[in-house]
Amino acid sequence: MLVGYMRVSSVDDRQTVDLQRDALVAAGVDHRHLHTDKASGARDDRPGLKACLDYLNAGDTLVVWKLDRLGRSLPHLLAIVTDLKGRGIAFRSLTEQMDTTTPHGELLFSLFGALAQYERALTRERVMAGLSAAKRRGRQGGRPPMIDVETLERITAALDGGASKASVCRTFKVPRSTLLGTLGRIGWTAPAKT
């Protein structure tokens, strides 16, 4: 069975799905099997897409007018199509003439996958280079500490003096998870009981 998905970005009536609907119906999708969203492609919580993906069964084909109607980015699009493939569902994009049931479509999908992997590798390389450059300048990457140095010294002194972690959390108004994470990072251990 052919199942269609349509999306426009604007929630008002400036944009319509008429062009997409006409193309999908002409491609053989029954109008009863069309799912629609009026939302940005960047949103993860598109109810029409969720309903469409839940509706599909093995042997079905998801049809879209254009690739950008389905995914917000290449990695997002690949994740959706990979999930479909794993469930035994084919994918077709009318504008790009991509059909995962054909050798040509499989090749295109493989190329997209390789490009997405390359993009992730480049992003990681840039992040690591940026962190390295910042470290050379004396800056440390990552989130700033939640507990300043003076407060941490007072907390460890209180804990070394026998105060419980719960009382320290209340006294210094620090969430327990933050306290435990900070103590773990600095390597603090409870003093041995005598």
Side-chain angles (χ1 to χ4, degrees):
M1 174 174 38
L2 300 178
V3 177
Y5 175 72
M6 306 172 291
R7 182 186 62 78
V8 290
S9 298
S10 180
V11 293
D12 58 26
D13 291 332
R14 288 181 300 156
Q15 295 179 337
T16 67
V17 295
D18 294 345
L19 172 68
Q20 296 175 55
R21 181 186 315 277
D22 292 347
L24 293 174
V25 169
V29 179
D30 188 309
H31 70 279
R32 294 171 297 180
H33 302 142
L34 292 173
H35 298 268
T36 307
D37 273 317
K38 286 191 173 189
S40 166
R43 290 186 53 185
D44 284 334
D45 61 338
R46 290 182 270 160
L49 178 59
K50 181 178 179 350
C52 180
L53 295 175
D54 290 345
Y55 183 77
L56 290 161
N57 293 310
D60 291 346
T61 301
L62 174 61
V63 185
V64 295
W65 173 64
K66 199 171 182 183
L67 286 172
D68 68 354
R69 299 297 87 198
L70 182 62
R72 66 179 182 275
S73 63
L74 184 57
H76 182 238
L77 180 66
L78 286 170
I80 292 172
V81 176
T82 301
D83 176 63
L84 292 174
K85 189 175 181 184
R87 293 168 48 197
I89 300 166
F91 173 72
R92 246 172 86 193
S93 173
L94 302 177
T95 303
E96 290 83 6
Q97 297 181 358
M98 180 179 179
D99 185 345
T100 60
T101 62
T102 68
H104 175 75
E106 278 292 318
L107 173 65
L108 277 177
F109 182 66
S110 297
L111 289 174
F112 285 166
L115 288 172
Q117 185 174 354
Y118 178 64
E119 179 184 15
R120 285 191 298 273
L122 287 178
T123 300
R124 178 168 166 54
E125 188 177 281
R126 285 192 300 269
V127 167
M128 298 310 286
L131 289 173
S132 178
K135 192 173 190 176
R136 285 193 303 271
R137 290 180 178 79
R139 293 188 356 228
Q140 183 176 354
R143 295 172 66 182
M146 297 298 293
I147 304 173
D148 62 69
V149 176
E150 296 83 23
T151 304
L152 186 56
E153 288 172 359
R154 294 187 357 232
I155 287 173
T156 55
L159 290 169
D160 289 339
S164 71
K165 290 176 184 169
S167 68
V168 166
C169 289
R170 283 192 302 274
T171 303
F172 293 96
K173 296 180 176 42
V174 175
R176 185 173 178 83
S177 59
T178 301
L179 176 66
L180 296 177
T182 302
L183 292 176
R185 275 192 294 286
I186 65 168
W188 181 87
T189 55
K193 294 183 180 180
T194 55

